[in-house]
Amino acid sequence: MEKYMKRALELAKKGWGHTNPNPLVGAVIVKNGKIIGEGYHEYFGGPHAEINALKSAVDDVDGATMFVTLEPCSHFGKTPPCSNAIIKSGIKEVYIAMEDPNPMVRGRGIKMLQEAGINVYLGMMEKEAEKLNEIFIKYITTKLPFVILKSAMSIDGKIACYTGDSKWITGEKSRKYVHNIRGRVSAIMVGVNTVIKDNPHLTARIEGYKSPTRIVVDSKGRIPLDSNVINDKSARTIIATTELMSDNIRRKLKERDIDIIELKNSNGRVPLKELMVKLGEQSIDSVLIEGGGTLNWSVLEEAVADKIMFFIAPKIIGGKDAITSVEGKGFSKVMDSINLRDIEIERIEDDILISGYIK
């Protein structure tokens, strides 16, 4: 039976980067041991997975079984309730991987199906479904974006030589992997020093994906007006700043249709926790941090990161003045350092990707 839920999870992944801030959902309809219908949530505002599966059915679904990765919705949103459509279709039983964490839905869709006489089984491949929708779960329950801290470094923890040279530490396949991540999240964030030094475009150069919103943390308004993130209009740019930015720079940025989020400075810096609240209010459900050592430390110090993704290349750069992946003051005691849980290690050609969640 799990093979059908596994298929539904694979279908759900096809919505990556297109459904934010909605969840990734896949659905499979089975009758007489054969798949007769499949669907997934393809884009924000579009039909849900269950509806697409019902529409794709090549046989009568009366008496069939549905496997769906997330509890069917029970309320009117962008689309009508999926639970009603399932009931009307004549499906006799539904396997659901996980309950919907959305307070407007949680348990209601299951109850509707059960009250209609449909057998409901909850929890098949639940952990896999939760990991698939880790962004949605965080955002829908807190209204805060899911934050991924990504860094690419040498085996001795350097992200640049003492000269500032940093191209390229990791291999081409790792860099392509990062562009896939960019295409899945709502926003990518860097510090202004990264913009000054590297002048990046911060786009997702992967076919079929749209580029995320670009966020530059710039407390004093030092961003060069000729930088790519200002003049490349292929993606939206937000400057997160404070009252320390001059009125002149603020005016020039607005003339270039750059959005500004201004917060009260905290020791001369942009308060990241408050920034995440503001981003959540703009329906930004996920942020990929690709900053330098200074921003990375601030992200960890203010405890805004949920997940760590560190790419490690088999290179030794050395040098006490070379830039490390996390700069700042650091912790005074090892016992106070940040620990990770649910560690995963993946090899990408010669590089190693270590992923984990902050305890």
Side-chain angles (χ1 to χ4, degrees):
M1 299 287 276
E2 282 193 356
K3 68 179 181 180
Y4 300 123
M5 188 63 78
K6 186 176 181 180
R7 173 59 182 164
L9 288 165
E10 288 298 319
L11 287 168
K13 292 176 183 178
K14 293 185 176 185
W16 260 330
H18 304 292
T19 66
N20 309 62
N22 278 357
L24 298 166
V25 187
V28 171
I29 301 172
V30 179
K31 189 173 184 179
N32 298 325
K34 293 182 180 180
I35 294 176
I36 63 169
E38 296 184 333
Y40 67 98
H41 185 32
E42 298 177 11
Y43 58 92
F44 177 73
H48 288 186
E50 301 92 323
I51 304 303
N52 285 331
L54 289 169
K55 288 180 178 178
S56 75
V58 296
D59 198 354
D60 185 2
V61 302
D62 186 56
T65 299
M66 176 177 283
F67 295 80
V68 61
T69 59
L70 186 70
E71 175 183 358
C73 65
S74 58
H75 68 290
F76 279 88
K78 295 282 185 182
T79 59
C82 293
S83 295
N84 286 348
I86 294 171
I87 292 167
K88 291 178 181 178
S89 73
I91 283 176
K92 69 174 183 179
E93 58 183 7
V94 179
Y95 286 81
I96 301 170
M98 63 172 284
E99 194 174 56
D100 193 330
N102 186 344
M104 294 179 63
V105 177
R106 192 163 200 164
R108 289 178 58 191
I110 293 172
K111 186 178 180 182
M112 284 178 63
L113 296 176
Q114 290 173 330
E115 289 178 347
I118 295 173
N119 295 322
V120 178
Y121 306 93
L122 178 64
M124 179 182 285
M125 301 189 75
E126 183 177 25
K127 288 184 179 180
E128 292 86 346
E130 288 175 345
K131 184 169 184 179
L132 179 70
N133 270 313
E134 58 190 10
I135 289 173
F136 174 71
I137 293 170
K138 165 82 181 288
Y139 180 71
I140 202 66
T141 56
T142 67
K143 293 304 177 186
L144 295 171
F146 185 87
V147 179
I148 303 168
L149 177 59
K150 168 262 170 184
S151 189
M153 67 194 77
S154 62
I155 203 167
D156 56 338
K158 310 297 185 181
I159 61 173
C161 299
Y162 73 89
T163 60
D165 180 63
S166 61
K167 290 184 172 51
W168 294 99
I169 292 177
T170 52
E172 184 178 350
K173 196 168 182 180
S174 291
R175 297 197 298 274
K176 186 176 181 180
Y177 192 112
V178 171
H179 280 279
N180 273 286
I181 301 171
R182 287 183 180 183
R184 296 173 187 172
V185 297
S186 292
I188 178 172
M189 179 184 292
V190 299
V192 68
N193 287 333
T194 297
V195 176
I196 292 171
K197 175 181 171 293
D198 298 332
N199 194 23
H201 286 269
L202 300 180
T203 53
R205 294 187 286 277
I206 297 291
E207 186 177 350
Y209 286 121
K210 60 177 175 37
S211 290
T213 294
R214 301 170 294 204
I215 303 166
V216 180
V217 179
D218 180 10
S219 61
K220 298 180 177 66
R222 297 190 295 123
I223 189 166
L225 295 176
D226 62 351
S227 60
N228 289 320
V229 293
I230 298 297
N231 297 293
D232 174 3
K233 299 302 181 181
S234 63
R236 177 192 181 199
T237 297
I238 297 173
I239 305 297
T241 190
T242 69
E243 74 278 9
L244 301 176
M245 175 185 279
S246 71
D247 290 337
N248 182 47
I249 293 296
R250 187 180 289 102
R251 176 180 55 80
K252 289 182 177 180
L253 289 172
K254 288 184 177 180
E255 287 175 354
R256 290 164 169 78
D257 295 322
I258 302 300
D259 294 326
I260 297 173
I261 295 178
E262 182 176 319
L263 300 164
K264 183 175 176 56
N265 88 87
S266 175
N267 296 319
R269 302 188 305 186
V270 174
L272 297 181
K273 279 191 174 181
E274 293 177 35
L275 174 58
M276 294 304 163
V277 172
K278 295 294 184 182
L279 295 177
E281 289 172 354
Q282 295 190 22
S283 296
I284 292 176
D285 67 354
S286 48
V287 178
L288 176 66
I289 309 285
E290 287 202 53
T294 301
L295 179 60
N296 290 351
W297 167 249
S298 296
V299 168
L300 295 172
E301 185 182 30
E302 293 195 44
V304 298
D306 297 288
K307 186 175 184 178
I308 305 295
M309 299 184 76
F310 278 9
F311 294 80
I312 302 173
K315 294 181 174 71
I316 298 174
I317 292 175
K320 64 182 179 63
D321 294 325
I323 303 169
T324 61
S325 59
V326 182
E327 299 269 306
K329 184 179 180 180
F331 295 101
S332 61
K333 296 180 181 179
V334 173
M335 65 180 294
D336 295 330
S337 61
I338 292 169
N339 287 291
L340 304 181
R341 59 176 175 82
D342 300 333
I343 303 299
E344 290 187 0
I345 300 174
E346 180 181 352
R347 183 165 177 172
I348 305 174
E349 289 187 334
D350 291 335
D351 301 331
I352 294 173
L353 169 60
I354 299 178
S355 303
Y357 301 85
I358 293 180
K359 284 186 178 179

